Amino acid sequence: MEHTTTKDQTLESVLTRPDVEQALVSLVERLPEIEKSLRRLEDAVDFGMATMNDQHVKDKLDTLLDSSNLQVETLEAAVKLAEKLPMLLQVTNQLEQVLAFAQDVYADEQTRELIGQRVDEYVAPVKEKADVTRAMLSEIRARAERDDRNITLFSLIRWLKEPSVQHGLKYMQATVEVLSEQTKK
């Protein structure tokens, strides 16, 4: 059968096509559902019209809107937020996946131990340096408290010749220069 549309086609030729017949049968079978849906829609429209025509409802709505803190900026923000909901949903889904992964890792004792070992491997050198520094400071404090000698001008001059003191003084001088440049800016 030809499906071309020409001026010579009649209503009977169109209605007798199998695809048109099938569509009409399907439509006729669904007519009760369509009628129910249209009645519900008509009832909802009637209810909305009656509600908007009720002066008491209008007054209550006006009072509610006047007493609310609803501003144009709030409505604009709500619209912008609604536009971002798909992205927020995507981020939320990703966070849920991360949390599920974290819970799985936390629940697996072997994985926790492995992570703990890796963290210890990274922290161990820093901890060693901190321990060495702490021990050195303790030794310095102990020696300073035990030493009851008076510091003289000659001992200061002798210290200035020490390479470690010279190195420290260079750092102090560079620090003072950088600080003075920073305060000028």
Side-chain angles (χ1 to χ4, degrees), residues 130-143:
D131 290 342
V132 167
T133 303
R134 193 176 304 115
M136 185 173 56
L137 289 174
S138 295
E139 178 65 24
I140 291 170
R141 185 180 305 121
R143 283 189 188 187

Side-chain angles (χ1 to χ4, degrees), residues 48-117:
M49 294 297 288
T51 302
M52 293 311 293
N53 288 333
D54 186 0
Q55 190 60 38
H56 179 69
V57 172
K58 282 182 182 178
D59 293 342
K60 196 170 189 178
L61 184 61
D62 286 343
T63 304
L64 182 64
L65 287 175
D66 289 341
S67 66
S68 72
N69 194 14
L70 200 60
Q71 298 172 349
V72 174
E73 294 85 13
T74 306
L75 292 174
E76 288 174 354
V79 168
K80 287 180 182 177
L81 184 62
E83 289 173 352
K84 293 185 187 266
L85 281 176
M87 182 198 54
L88 289 173
L89 178 63
Q90 185 179 16
V91 169
T92 303
N93 288 337
Q94 289 173 347
L95 282 174
E96 284 179 344
Q97 291 172 356
V98 168
L99 287 174
F101 174 75
Q103 287 174 339
D104 290 344
V105 167
Y106 183 74
D108 184 27
E109 187 174 334
Q110 189 177 11
T111 305
R112 279 191 316 220
E113 288 176 8
L114 183 63
I115 290 172
Q117 291 171 357

